[in-house]
Amino acid sequence: HIVGTSGGNTDDMIESLDMMSHNKINPALLITHIGGLDAVPHTTLNLPTIPGGKKLIYTHLKMELTAISDFAGKGKENPLYFALNEICSNHNGLWSVEAEDYLLGHAAQSEMLI
């Protein structure tokens, strides 16, 4: 069982990175939702009822928690989601470095302070 930083130790992380670099595991398959810092309270309180896998939070962005599979619908009214849907569609519906780069360059910055 490979856990990376989710409760593992340094050896687990090294093994995980090695497996990723040799295409033995693809962590993108685990990510189902993307959100910003403002999504954290709702996501944390409702995690057991939110379907899917990993929820990837960008703590410096403002973005509601959104399933990757919902990008297409939200993209009808929001150009950010339209572009993210196009990018993810080009990566078999998965989150990718390209999607992350686009998000980081186009999403609103969080105004929340911890």
Side-chain angles (χ1 to χ4, degrees):
H1 179 71
I2 304 299
V3 293
T5 59
S6 298
N9 59 32
T10 306
D11 290 335
D12 292 335
M13 188 182 308
I14 292 168
E15 184 179 0
S16 297
L17 292 170
D18 182 62
M19 291 177 76
M20 285 183 252
S21 70
H22 290 95
N23 295 319
K24 293 182 179 179
I25 58 173
N26 181 358
L29 295 170
L30 303 173
I31 300 169
T32 59
H33 293 71
I34 308 299
L37 184 60
D38 50 321
V40 171
H42 178 265
T43 302
T44 302
L45 292 171
N46 295 286
L47 193 57
T49 62
I50 301 172
K54 298 284 185 182
K55 283 62 173 167
L56 180 57
I57 301 294
Y58 291 89
T59 58
H60 62 294
L61 299 181
K62 180 179 182 180
M63 181 181 180
E64 66 182 317
L65 186 70
T66 306
I68 294 171
S69 60
D70 291 341
F71 286 171
K74 288 187 172 231
K76 293 176 182 175
E77 297 182 16
N78 185 317
L80 174 71
Y81 291 108
F82 179 86
L84 289 173
N85 180 61
E86 291 291 311
I87 294 167
C88 290
S89 293
N90 290 335
H91 292 273
N92 299 314
L94 301 176
W95 194 244
S96 64
V97 172
E98 183 182 0
E100 179 174 75
D101 287 344
Y102 185 86
L103 179 70
L104 295 176
H106 294 87
Q109 297 292 306
S110 176
E111 298 173 5
M112 297 178 72
L113 297 175
I114 296 179

